Amino acid sequence: MRLRYGLRSIRYKLLLTLLASNLCTLLVAAAVLIYNDLQEYRLNLSSELNTQAEILGQASIAALEFNDPKVAQENLALLKIKPGIIAAGLYTATGTLFAGYSRQRSQPHRFPPLPGLDGIQIADKEMWLYKRVVNQQEILGTVYLRAHYDLQQRLQHNLGILAGVGLLSLLASLLISTWLQTYVSKPITSVSDTALQVVSRRDFSLRAHKSTDDEIGYLVDAFNEMLAEIGRRTEAIEASQQALEHEVAERRETQLALQHSERRNRSLLTAMSVTIWVSDKLGGFAAEQPAWADYTGQPLAEYQGLGWRSAFHPDDQGHLDRAWARAISQPASFELAARLWHAGSGRHRHITLRTAPLFDQAGELVEWIGGISDTDDRYAAEQAVVQLNAELEQRVAERTAELETANKELESFSYSVSHDLRAPVRAIGGFAALLNQHQGAQLNTEGQRLLGIVRSEATRMGYLIDDLLAFSRLGRQAMQMKPLDMMALVQNTYSHLQNQHQGPPVQFRLGNLPDTLGDMSLLRQVWVNLLSNALKFSSKQAQPTIEVGAISDDEKHTYYVRDNGTGFDPAYKQKLFGVFQRLHDAADYPGTGVGLALAQRIINRHNGTIWADSTPGEGATFYFTLPRSH
């Protein structure tokens, strides 16, 4: 049959080629035009909405400033000339709807409760716009616009136009191509007739007739040269046939060696503790899997195809199916922990499934190779550790609760004892004062001295009880956290203490103190204790000096109080913050020994720390930290 007849003729193939090229060109041009039109449609609509929002915002500045919603409502009502705008709204700076407009009056528009961020949002064939109203760098409110954005309708309209244009273009191409095909295909059919004769007669001495000097003529020359080359190569093929038979024999020997290597690899896999299996590209077992059968006890009829899934625990089959679906859609290795039936132990054991895809030279997926590692013993050990940790955490929680209960009971006991001691101490002081008033003249010098000691010790005992009550009450006092001006707090505290100070004038240096967050009354007590100590222990210096400052980093503020007073031995600085712990004689420096303990407790409740450094005779520095944020 001659190739120039029928639909398989080159004439029709050329025609189809031209039509297909024109169709591709039209499709690419149509896609570009449609994409460009949709982009311009989106940009134009967003630009128009921005312009409308800017105009509305500028027109509503006076209405927002003078709280005139009527003017704002009139401005929004002008949008009725824009059929594409569904609704519009004007919000105040606090996010309250100030005025609104809805095109469908029968069904009021549901405005957002709060305006969103500046910008464009697209959802449900609509475009939303939020734009801030700014006047002299002050945000007065927000304009809200909502318009139609139906890309599907515009796309259908463009496709209809382009379909008509494409149909007319293809029809014109068909008419022109039909006229040209006869002139182009006639010389080619002559070459095909010669080729048929060469194939049927096996005569490579035949030559095609050259009738033109164009590309078709060059094709005829090339075809004739090809016939001559085929004749020469036919002789070469016959000569190489004997060499090919020798190569086939060598390949047969190589194949036998590969079969031996494969049997050895199978024996090696059998000896391994990992269960190896092979599946087709869809995850089904097509061949026999001895290692799988030994582990799970499944026969071939049960595990072939996708039947191997039934060996996994029902709760894990869903995870297994999802992992396989992802791996098959985009071939890649994956690992999965699951529970697999073990015939030897008669239960599901924890295993780790690992798979890897195998590709051919063309990069096509051929099969999957995987392995099963039994991790049941390790899983049991891990669960035992988790259970032990849970028990330890429970014990720690119980001990913590017991400790908190004991602390509360101790605080309550301390408060009760301190409160009960106040009455007898006051009685002792009162009776001593009455005795001195009525019988003091009858006492000798020694009696008056002893009576004075009783009165002073009663007074000191009252101070101790007051400090102990304050220390006990601190554990139950609720903290009122708020921003504090530390500069003002220190200045007021020092001024109050300075009015009560009777020693030499003090040089007070106050550095820059950063603000913080804390309980004002508690932190005032800290400054009172630290500054009063600095005044007390530097009072015997010729020129007392007190310096207050702070150092800050990314996490905390470190405040300090430094004096040039007596100082203390650094070896005993850990005792400074204990209740009733004193490093100096009460006769030289009066006090109860509770102030620093109280300060430490306050700082700890603020999640900070307190410490001190000193050199005897050169003064002391007390530091405490407060976090930058709570």
Side-chain angles (χ1 to χ4, degrees), residues 277-448:
W277 49 264
V278 179
S279 70
D280 58 24
K281 61 182 180 181
L282 296 179
F285 286 177
E288 188 176 357
Q289 308 289 339
W292 180 273
D294 291 342
Y295 188 91
T296 63
Q298 287 184 310
L300 175 62
E302 185 177 345
Y303 68 70
Q304 66 181 356
L306 296 177
W308 56 270
R309 292 175 57 259
S310 61
F312 284 87
H313 195 280
D315 294 341
D316 297 337
Q317 290 182 9
H319 303 290
L320 178 66
D321 292 341
R322 287 190 290 272
W324 266 110
R326 289 192 297 267
I328 292 174
S329 62
Q330 296 181 351
S333 301
F334 73 90
E335 182 176 318
L336 179 70
R339 288 164 290 180
L340 180 65
W341 181 260
H342 182 243
S345 59
R347 64 180 180 87
H348 288 91
R349 293 177 64 87
H350 289 270
I351 58 95
T352 299
L353 170 68
R354 298 181 179 88
T355 65
L358 182 62
F359 302 94
D360 57 14
Q361 295 181 352
E364 295 293 333
L365 178 64
V366 178
E367 60 184 8
W368 293 87
I369 298 178
I372 299 293
S373 300
D374 192 313
T375 59
D376 194 75
D377 295 337
R378 184 180 65 186
Y379 179 82
E382 292 175 351
Q383 291 302 309
V385 173
V386 171
Q387 180 65 26
L388 179 59
N389 289 336
E391 293 177 356
L392 289 176
E393 291 179 359
Q394 180 64 26
R395 293 176 184 175
V396 170
E398 293 175 355
R399 297 296 186 272
T400 303
E402 294 175 358
L403 181 60
E404 291 177 353
T405 302
N407 286 336
K408 292 180 180 178
E409 293 176 353
L410 182 60
E411 290 176 358
S412 178
F413 174 76
S414 177
Y415 179 81
S416 299
V417 171
S418 300
H419 188 271
D420 293 341
L421 287 176
R422 294 172 63 90
V425 170
R426 288 177 178 174
I428 293 173
F431 283 121
L434 291 175
L435 179 61
N436 182 55
Q437 179 180 356
H438 297 290
Q439 304 295 331
Q442 301 177 13
L443 297 176
N444 57 19
T445 304
E446 181 64 17
Q448 291 180 354

Side-chain angles (χ1 to χ4, degrees), residues 133-150:
V133 179
V134 180
N135 184 31
Q136 296 182 357
Q137 298 183 352
E138 179 184 1
I139 297 177
L140 301 179
T142 302
V143 176
Y144 159 71
L145 294 178
R146 187 168 183 174
H148 290 291
Y149 183 67
D150 194 350

Side-chain angles (χ1 to χ4, degrees), residues 112-126:
L114 292 173
L117 299 177
D118 275 12
I120 297 292
Q121 300 180 12
I122 298 175
D124 297 333
K125 299 181 181 180
E126 295 178 352

